[in-house]
C-alpha cells in the first residue's frame, strides 16, 4: 500500500484528466439547476490516507457537510463530497436562489439541495471514471451528514475496516457567476481493495 501515494506525475495527470471531465459534466448540470454559470476546477488529485483528508479540512472540530454514496457495479466502494459548513451554507444560497448570507441553518430544503449537489458531483465523477475504465459504475441514493470533520471521516473509516484507509482525493473548487467567493470541497473516492487495484492498474504507465 505504501506505493499508492507515490504514483507518477503521468499517472496523476491521467486521474486529473478523468476528474476534469467529470467536473465539466457536473458544472453543466449545476448551471442548469441554478440558472447561473458555474465552473468547477480540479486543482489537484491525490491518493491520501483518510486521516490526512481530515487534516486538510482543518481541526477535528471543524464542522463539515458530507454527502455519502455507495458505489456499485463493476467497482465497489463509497464516495463522499465534503464541504466546510460556510461553503455549504453559501452553496445553499446559490442553489435556492437566495441573497448571500440567507442560509443560517440546514432544514429539509437545504439538506435536499446539498444531497442533490453531492449526487450530481459523485455521479459525474463516476461516469467519467466509468468511461475511462470501460466499466459500469452505479451510485446509490445519497445520504447527508453534518458533523465535525473528525467524526465524519472516522465514521467512514471505521465502516470500511483497517485495510481500506487509502482514498482518492479530488480538490473541487466552484466558481459561480456573479460571486467573488470561490467555494471549495473535496470529492473522496473510497474503493474497496479489489476496485482500488483495478483503478491503479488502469492508470499505470510503464
Amino acid at each position: 500500500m505504501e506505493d499508492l501515494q507515490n504514483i507518477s506525475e503521468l499517472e496523476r495527470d491521467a486521474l486529473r484528466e478523468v476528474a476534469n471531465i467529470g467536473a465539466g459534466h457536473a458544472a453543466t448540470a449545476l448551471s442548469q439547476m441554478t440558472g447561473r454559470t458555474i465552473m468547477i476546477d480540479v486543482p489537484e488529485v491525490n491518493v491520501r490516507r483518510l486521516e490526512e483528508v481530515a487534516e486538510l479540512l482543518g481541526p477535528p472540530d471543524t464542522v463539515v457537510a458530507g454527502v455519502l454514496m455507495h458505489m456499485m457495479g463493476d467497482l465497489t466502494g463509497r464516495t463522499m463530497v465534503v464541504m466546510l459548513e460556510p461553503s455549504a451554507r453559501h452553496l445553499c444560497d446559490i442553489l435556492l436562489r437566495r441573497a448571500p448570507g440567507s442560509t443560517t441553518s440546514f432544514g429539509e430544503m437545504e439538506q435536499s439541495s446539498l444531497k442533490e449537489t453531492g449526487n450530481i458531483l459523485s455521479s459525474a465523477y463516476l461516469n467519467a471514471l466509468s468511461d475511462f475504465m470501460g466499466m459500469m459504475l452505479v451510485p446509490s441514493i445519497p445520504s447527508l451528514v453534518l458533523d465535525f470533520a473528525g467524526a465524519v471521516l472516522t465514521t467512514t473509516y471505521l465502516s470500511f475496516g483497517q485495510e481500506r484507509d487509502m482514498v482518492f482525493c479530488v480538490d473541487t473548487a466552484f466558481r459561480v457567476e456573479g460571486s467573488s467567493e470561490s467555494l471549495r470541497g473535496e470529492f473522496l473516492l473510497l474503493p474497496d481493495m479489489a476496485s482500488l487495484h483495478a483503478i491503479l492498474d488502469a492508470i499505470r504507465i510503464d
Side-chain angles (χ1 to χ4, degrees), residues 54-55 57-65 83-86 147-152:
E55 293 168 4
L57 296 170
D61 60 352
T62 302
V63 178
V64 300
M83 301 186 75
L84 298 177
E85 183 187 22
D147 206 336
F148 296 129
V152 169

Side-chain angles (χ1 to χ4, degrees), residues 69-112:
M69 300 172 69
H70 292 271
M71 176 175 66
M72 301 170 289
D74 293 329
L75 300 178
T76 54
R78 293 190 180 191
T79 69
M80 179 179 274
V81 176
V82 189
M83 301 186 75
L84 298 177
E85 183 187 22
S87 291
R89 287 201 305 266
H90 189 180
L91 184 59
C92 285
D93 288 339
I94 294 166
L95 296 171
L96 298 172
R97 308 190 184 197
R98 297 170 173 169
S102 297
T103 300
T104 57
S105 62
F106 297 103
E108 185 175 339
M109 189 179 299
E110 289 81 7
Q111 291 186 34
S112 177

Side-chain angles (χ1 to χ4, degrees), residues 87-168:
S87 291
R89 287 201 305 266
H90 189 180
L91 184 59
C92 285
D93 288 339
I94 294 166
L95 296 171
L96 298 172
R97 308 190 184 197
R98 297 170 173 169
S102 297
T103 300
T104 57
S105 62
F106 297 103
E108 185 175 339
M109 189 179 299
E110 289 81 7
Q111 291 186 34
S112 177
S113 296
L114 291 176
K115 284 193 283 188
E116 181 58 22
T117 301
N119 183 29
I120 288 171
L121 278 170
S122 292
S123 296
Y125 283 133
L126 289 182
N127 284 339
L129 183 61
S130 175
D131 290 343
F132 175 72
M133 297 188 66
M135 293 181 172
M136 182 183 71
L137 303 180
V138 181
S140 72
I141 296 172
S143 60
L144 175 70
V145 59
L146 295 160
D147 206 336
F148 296 129
V152 169
L153 294 171
T154 299
T155 299
T156 306
Y157 174 74
L158 291 176
S159 68
F160 261 74
Q162 297 298 315
E163 66 178 358
R164 299 176 185 171
D165 63 342
M166 301 301 295
V167 303
F168 293 93

